[in-house]
């Protein structure tokens, strides 16, 4: 299940994608339009700015804007940024692997095999989905 932070990040990015190439959007407008608590949104947008996805402008006409085109921003990148990965079990994770605490012979574990396939399918879908697809 995605965290609120990840869902809010995606909502905010989709909103910014709709305005791509226009004036920056004030955080208050994004917060209001997407019903995201403003204080929480500030943290999320700063994180996205640090990763090079967003830019910002100060002042009366200030706000946030996408640095990259919406078709260049891959959903998998966003999910991994905030969730760490797409695997539901740490024993099938590529980025946060940890040995299974329940089954010593992971290679024979049927549960692990199913969740590995689920991870691969989820990652494939998110890899080919961009912000442009969600606008």
């Amino acid at each position: 299940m995605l965290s609120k932070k990840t869902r809010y990040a995606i909502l905010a990015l989709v909103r910014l994608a709709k305005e791509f190439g226009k004036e920056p959007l004030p955080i208050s407008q994004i917060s209001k339009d997407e019903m995201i608590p403003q204080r929480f949104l500030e943290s999320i947008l700063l994180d996205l700015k640090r990763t090079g996805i967003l830019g910002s402008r100060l002042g009366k006409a200030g706000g946030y804007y996408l640095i990259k085109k919406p078709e260049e921003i891959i959903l998998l990148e966003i999910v991994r940024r905030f969730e760490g990965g797409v695997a539901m079990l740490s024993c099938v994770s590529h980025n946060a692997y940890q040995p299974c605490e329940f089954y010593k012979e992971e290679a024979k574990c049927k549960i692990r095999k199913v969740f590995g396939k689920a991870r691969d399918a989820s990652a494939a879908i998110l890899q080919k989905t961009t912000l442009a697809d969600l606008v």
Side-chain angles (χ1 to χ4, degrees):
M1 186 166 14
L2 291 179
S3 66
K4 277 188 179 184
K5 190 171 188 175
T6 304
R7 287 184 283 167
Y8 287 160
I10 293 168
L11 286 171
L13 287 168
V14 169
R15 178 68 177 93
L16 289 165
K18 290 176 183 175
E19 302 298 323
F20 184 71
K22 300 177 184 174
E23 292 296 314
L25 275 178
I27 194 167
S28 59
Q29 187 67 49
I30 300 167
S31 173
K32 179 183 169 195
D33 293 348
E34 301 304 323
M35 297 185 296
I36 302 170
Q38 189 166 327
R39 284 208 163 277
F40 199 18
L41 183 58
E42 288 171 4
S43 165
I44 293 166
L45 295 179
L46 282 174
D47 198 6
L48 290 167
K49 184 179 176 185
R50 280 188 223 110
T51 63
I53 293 172
L54 296 182
S56 66
R57 184 173 7 158
L58 296 173
K60 191 175 183 178
Y64 285 89
Y65 56 91
L66 294 178
I67 292 175
K68 298 178 179 181
K69 295 176 183 175
E71 56 271 8
E72 295 173 349
I73 301 172
I74 298 165
L75 213 49
L76 181 61
E77 191 179 320
I78 306 307
V79 171
R80 281 193 172 145
R81 175 74 182 136
F82 291 100
E83 298 293 329
V86 295
M88 291 185 264
L89 297 175
S90 58
C91 65
V92 297
S93 175
H94 288 301
N95 298 331
Y97 171 81
Q98 291 182 9
C100 181
E101 61 186 285
F102 302 107
Y103 202 79
K104 302 296 180 210
E105 295 183 62
E106 287 181 353
K108 293 180 181 179
C109 179
K110 296 194 186 304
I111 294 170
R112 184 175 190 268
K113 287 178 184 175
V114 169
F115 281 90
K117 289 177 185 179
R119 179 215 51 226
D120 292 346
S122 295
I125 291 166
L126 295 171
Q127 176 65 39
K128 66 180 182 180
T129 305
T130 68
L131 284 185
D133 297 319
L134 303 178
V135 174

